[in-house]
Amino acid sequence: MNIAALRERIRVAEQQEQQQGSLRKWLGGQMEHLHPAIEPGSDPLDTLHRFAEGYIAEVPDTLEAAQAVAESANMRTQLLPVLKVAEAFFLQPPDLPADHQGMLALLDEAYLVHRLVEEINDRYIAHGGEPLLPLDTTRANVIVHQLLGDAFANQLDMAVDTAVEGLAPESLFSSKDFADFRQIIAQRGRIALWQNWPCLSRQLGVEIRLREAS
């Protein structure tokens, strides 16, 4: 995996954002459409901007940590195909709107990566009782989905669904590979390997609370 290329792509986009502020301007245009359940605090635009940048910046850290665990815990068979698809989503994404450039394009691509992690985890939890990648992205993904809008975000979700069908088909969960994975997660030594795993909400450090819509 080319983690350096992921970080370099983000670095270049961040420089463009500092000069042009395109993502911040776009987020400003989304403010009036925010669902009432999303509560970004007293300075909504600044909070959402920091949230979006953190959501994007988390991608290479997530994939790097997962790669290290795969190498250390005899989980290459399960993890590396997922990580390669996630990397491709970020470096070679499906067609995006022409006006999505710089950090906004990376927000689309980060959504693909984080949704892939979420869907893979959901399948493993349903069949094995523990996520393959112990990172809870659900709340962050709901917020980004709403920012991107249902029509476009649903298109990205379809790309994720197609990838997941290839990576975690139902047949996987009756296979020897999955039985071996269940044995691995039962070993207490594996728990220590996840202690340095980046926590999405903690790393973002942004107070975005979901409350019941009035």
Side-chain angles (χ1 to χ4, degrees), residues 2 16 28 39 58 61 73 77 80 83 86 88 104 115 117 134 149 174 178 198 212:
N2 195 344
Q16 293 174 343
E39 190 178 279
E58 185 67 25
D61 290 342
T77 300
L80 289 189
L83 302 184
L104 180 52
R115 281 286 292 115
V117 169
S174 59
F178 188 68
E212 184 177 354

Side-chain angles (χ1 to χ4, degrees), residues 9 64 73 76 113 123 126 142 150 166:
R9 188 140 188 264
E64 184 176 49
R76 289 178 57 89
V113 173
R123 293 206 176 194
V142 168
D150 281 339

Side-chain angles (χ1 to χ4, degrees), residues 62-106:
T62 296
L63 300 188
E64 184 176 49
Q67 181 174 263
V69 169
E71 297 292 343
S72 303
N74 193 29
M75 293 173 65
R76 289 178 57 89
T77 300
Q78 292 79 19
L79 274 174
L80 289 189
V82 176
L83 302 184
K84 292 300 291 183
V85 171
E87 179 187 53
F89 271 152
F90 205 76
L91 294 178
Q92 300 170 333
D95 290 340
L96 302 176
D99 60 338
H100 284 210
Q101 302 292 326
M103 288 293 281
L104 180 52
L106 294 192

Side-chain angles (χ1 to χ4, degrees), residues 50-212:
R50 286 185 287 117
F51 166 82
E53 290 187 325
Y55 184 85
I56 293 165
E58 185 67 25
V59 167
D61 290 342
T62 296
L63 300 188
E64 184 176 49
Q67 181 174 263
V69 169
E71 297 292 343
S72 303
N74 193 29
M75 293 173 65
R76 289 178 57 89
T77 300
Q78 292 79 19
L79 274 174
L80 289 189
V82 176
L83 302 184
K84 292 300 291 183
V85 171
E87 179 187 53
F89 271 152
F90 205 76
L91 294 178
Q92 300 170 333
D95 290 340
L96 302 176
D99 60 338
H100 284 210
Q101 302 292 326
M103 288 293 281
L104 180 52
L106 294 192
L107 183 62
D108 301 339
E109 295 160 23
Y111 179 76
L112 285 166
V113 173
H114 290 309
R115 281 286 292 115
L116 178 67
V117 169
E118 181 184 6
E119 287 297 320
I120 290 290
N121 275 348
D122 284 349
R123 293 206 176 194
Y124 270 78
I125 290 170
H127 291 85
E130 184 170 337
L132 180 64
L133 305 175
L135 182 67
D136 184 5
T137 62
T138 302
R139 178 173 293 191
N141 291 339
V142 168
I143 294 168
V144 176
H145 182 109
Q146 208 277 323
L147 287 170
L148 295 175
D150 281 339
F152 178 50
N154 287 342
Q155 292 179 27
L156 299 181
D157 288 340
M158 289 178 62
V160 170
D161 290 342
T162 299
V164 170
E165 285 299 326
L167 293 167
E170 285 299 314
S171 59
L172 167 67
F173 302 107
S174 59
S175 68
K176 183 179 183 299
D177 283 344
F178 188 68
D180 291 344
F181 170 76
R182 292 290 302 275
Q183 289 186 333
I184 290 172
I185 66 174
Q187 297 171 4
R188 290 180 58 86
R190 173 184 173 274
I191 297 174
L193 293 170
W194 294 122
Q195 289 180 348
N196 293 325
W197 186 271
C199 173
L200 185 60
S201 60
R202 183 168 62 246
Q203 282 210 347
L204 294 182
V206 178
E207 290 296 329
I208 295 184
R209 295 176 294 277
L210 298 182
R211 57 178 174 80
E212 184 177 354

Side-chain angles (χ1 to χ4, degrees), residues 2-73:
N2 195 344
I3 301 297
L6 300 176
R7 290 203 168 100
E8 176 63 14
R9 188 140 188 264
I10 293 172
R11 186 191 68 79
V12 171
E14 286 175 338
Q15 287 186 336
Q16 293 174 343
E17 179 67 15
Q18 290 174 2
Q19 296 168 359
Q20 302 170 4
S22 299
L23 176 62
R24 187 178 183 88
K25 292 174 185 175
W26 179 84
L27 287 169
Q30 306 306 108
M31 297 298 299
E32 62 181 288
H33 306 298
L34 280 182
H35 192 280
I38 298 177
E39 190 178 279
S42 59
D43 190 348
L45 180 55
D46 189 56
T47 299
L48 285 174
H49 191 224
R50 286 185 287 117
F51 166 82
E53 290 187 325
Y55 184 85
I56 293 165
E58 185 67 25
V59 167
D61 290 342
T62 296
L63 300 188
E64 184 176 49
Q67 181 174 263
V69 169
E71 297 292 343
S72 303

